[in-house]
Amino acid sequence: GAVVSQHPSRVICKSGTSVKIECRSLDFQATTMFWYRQFPKQSLMLMATSNEGSKATYEQGVEKDKFLINHASLTLSTLTVTSAHPEDSSFYICSARVGEGQPQHFGDGTRLSIL
Amino acid sequence: GQNIDQPTEMTATEGAIVQINCTYQTSGFNGLFWYQQHAGEAPTFLSYNVLDGLEEKGRFSSFLSRSKGYSYLLLKELQMKDSASYLCAVIDSNYQLIWGAGTKLIIKP
């Protein structure tokens, strides 16, 4: 149980392109989903927290107009990196949890490379 | 401030036992998680402790002492595939998840 699917697993695209990443909880309803970014050999960095039907809460330093998050249902959240640039190249990982105090379950991550 | 400390790197031998420690200072406590993360992959959930004591799950066990702000992850009968980073994370009083930086475990034959 507690499977989270993230798609696509890898994206390579040109600078200026917008990229959409999907995160789905397959066998449970996720009241909250999280988006992380991780650079090589560095710790997970929380970007934003999204609750179904409400606006995402962004961490300090994360541009909400650049990283658009939509949590349209209890099983789907999307992250759109708008007008991506090479410095946005990173490993993006989503997670989902059933409720407060419950573990976060992670998707497989999306490796984004902007040329 | 909120802080979670765990060793940066540890080395152990295949077949042996290793204990990875985690100490925390957070505003409140609502549980502690251990995750495993292989290089280039997303974290996977290993264990959850909210009460004091030892939770055993196969070769992996996790211990918690809330009064000491301390936990450890114990890995027995180490296998080469256990080479990974192990992340300690604490839920604070606001149900925010505070992450440690992770411990890179290197297993040698």
Side-chain angles (χ1 to χ4, degrees):
Chain A
V3 177
V4 176
S5 172
Q6 186 173 342
H7 177 80
S9 59
R10 185 169 181 92
V11 180
I12 302 173
C13 57
K14 294 180 180 179
S15 184
T17 306
S18 290
V19 177
K20 187 176 184 179
I21 303 169
E22 289 190 351
C23 181
R24 294 180 183 272
S25 56
L26 297 185
D27 54 358
F28 66 102
Q29 292 188 325
T31 57
T32 309
M33 289 187 171
F34 303 86
W35 289 96
Y36 292 85
R37 181 166 54 182
Q38 188 174 36
F39 293 104
K41 298 185 179 181
Q42 294 190 19
S43 303
L44 287 171
M45 188 193 81
L46 180 65
M47 298 176 66
T49 301
S50 73
N51 293 295
E52 184 263 341
S54 63
K55 289 184 178 180
T57 302
Y58 290 81
E59 296 299 303
Q60 193 172 8
V62 178
E63 300 175 57
K64 62 180 181 181
D65 294 330
K66 181 167 186 64
F67 299 99
L68 301 178
I69 292 172
N70 184 282
H71 194 157
S73 76
L74 285 171
T75 59
L76 174 64
S77 177
T78 60
L79 167 68
T80 301
V81 184
T82 60
S83 187
H85 293 286
E87 58 266 28
D88 298 321
S89 297
S90 188
F91 189 42
Y92 291 85
I93 316 171
C94 75
S95 70
R97 71 177 188 201
V98 173
E100 292 182 336
Q102 298 299 312
Q104 293 181 25
H105 298 280
F106 288 84
D108 289 337
T110 298
R111 195 161 302 282
L112 177 61
S113 300
I114 308 297
L115 305 177
Chain B
Q2 313 217 76
N3 194 50
I4 295 182
D5 289 314
Q6 47 181 136
T8 304
E9 187 174 296
M10 298 182 70
T11 303
T13 305
E14 189 177 14
I17 299 173
V18 71
Q19 177 175 311
I20 303 174
N21 296 324
C22 170
T23 57
Y24 61 89
Q25 301 92 37
T26 56
S27 56
F29 177 85
N30 279 301
L32 183 146
F33 299 109
W34 282 97
Y35 284 85
Q36 180 191 59
Q37 185 177 24
H38 284 101
E41 299 181 11
T44 56
F45 169 70
L46 287 179
S47 68
Y48 171 58
N49 294 74
V50 66
L51 299 176
D52 291 350
L54 187 68
E55 294 281 341
E56 296 186 76
K57 192 183 292 185
R59 294 190 297 116
F60 294 5
S61 303
S62 57
F63 172 83
L64 174 68
S65 169
R66 288 172 296 172
S67 62
K68 295 181 180 178
Y70 167 69
S71 173
Y72 67 73
L73 180 69
L74 190 71
L75 291 75
K76 302 177 185 176
E77 301 169 16
L78 286 170
Q79 302 175 8
M80 297 303 293
K81 67 178 182 179
D82 297 329
S83 293
S85 287
Y86 291 86
L87 310 174
C88 173
V90 172
I91 306 174
D92 70 8
S93 57
N94 294 319
Y95 289 94
Q96 300 297 311
L97 192 60
I98 313 300
W99 290 91
T103 299
K104 183 179 180 181
L105 178 62
I106 300 169
I107 309 297
K108 295 185 174 180

